Amino acid sequence: MSFYQVLVFIHVFSAIIGMGPGFILTTVVKSGDNMTELRHSYAIRHRLHIYVMIGGTLLLLTGLLMGLMNPSLFQMGWYVTSLVLFLAALAIGPLVLTPRSKPIKAMLASHKGEDIPQEYRRLSKELFFYENVENIIFIIIIALMITKPF
Ligand code: HEM
């Protein structure tokens, strides 16, 4: 097995172990009928997100290393488009998702009682919308990776 093949191997495993849990981060917190259950859902989501961070970092590192080993990749449309989309998805995290998840976390920490407040529904709807945008970006990247169309 060449070093390049080792990188492809790590890359594909990172895609499965990192992106798999990533696609269900929204689904996980959709379950919960009271505040105790909802807090538990967010705790599970927090743990799953660790896989996404490790997998995502490995995807970028191995992807860039493959590009360094085979610079002609930088002339491939699918490679450059994926790289740009991936960096955009990375930036959406702190720029778009964090400001929208902060008030939710504060509410989970401070809210008294078991009823889920109406304000949570409004805040989460907006957060989930942008999480779906992220998911669509990752689906496009995966499709580009598999089909390498241009
Ligand atoms: C959401 C992020 C990503 C996912 C899920 C992903 C997934 C995959 C998968 C499943 C393959 C195998 C496809 C095949 O060759 O049959 C692949 C190949 C590849 N990926 Fe990614 N990837 C991601 C991000 C990136 C990024 C950001 C780069 C570049 C910096 C990159 C560079 C590559 C390269 C060069 C190959 C081809 C390896 C080869 O066969 O020579 N990937 N990717």
Side-chain angles (χ1 to χ4, degrees):
M1 215 184 193
S2 69
F3 182 59
Y4 188 90
Q5 283 171 322
V6 173
L7 289 179
V8 179
F9 186 88
I10 298 172
H11 191 78
V12 174
F13 263 82
S14 308
I16 296 165
I17 295 167
M19 292 298 124
F23 285 121
I24 59 156
L25 288 178
T26 309
T27 315
V28 164
V29 286
K30 278 191 178 159
S31 77
D33 293 328
N34 54 50
M35 285 304 283
T36 305
E37 287 176 5
L38 197 59
R39 285 191 185 102
H40 186 59
S41 300
Y42 273 87
I44 294 173
R45 170 179 157 111
H46 188 71
R47 294 185 117 188
L48 286 176
H49 190 248
I50 296 168
Y51 290 82
V52 184
M53 289 192 296
I54 296 171
T57 307
L58 282 174
L59 275 171
L60 183 62
L61 284 180
T62 51
L64 284 174
L65 268 174
M66 285 189 270
L68 289 180
M69 289 183 73
N70 177 14
S72 67
L73 281 170
F74 286 97
Q75 263 121 51
M76 308 278 183
W78 65 271
Y79 182 88
V80 177
T81 311
S82 302
L83 187 54
V84 171
L85 284 176
F86 191 87
L87 295 176
L90 205 66
I92 288 176
L95 295 179
V96 180
L97 299 182
T98 306
R100 283 169 180 82
S101 73
K102 257 191 180 163
I104 293 180
K105 283 184 185 159
M107 174 179 289
L108 290 174
S110 66
H111 184 74
K112 303 270 182 285
E114 279 300 326
D115 58 304
I116 298 173
Q118 211 47 43
E119 179 69 352
Y120 170 78
R121 315 256 175 231
R122 193 187 63 77
L123 291 170
S124 63
K125 203 174 160 196
E126 197 182 326
L127 175 67
F128 297 163
F129 170 79
Y130 289 105
E131 288 181 0
N132 286 333
V133 172
E134 281 264 32
N135 287 340
I136 291 167
I137 294 177
F138 287 127
I139 288 170
I140 294 171
I141 296 177
I142 295 172
L144 286 172
M145 291 286 141
I146 298 169
T147 60
K148 306 180 176 77
F150 46 85

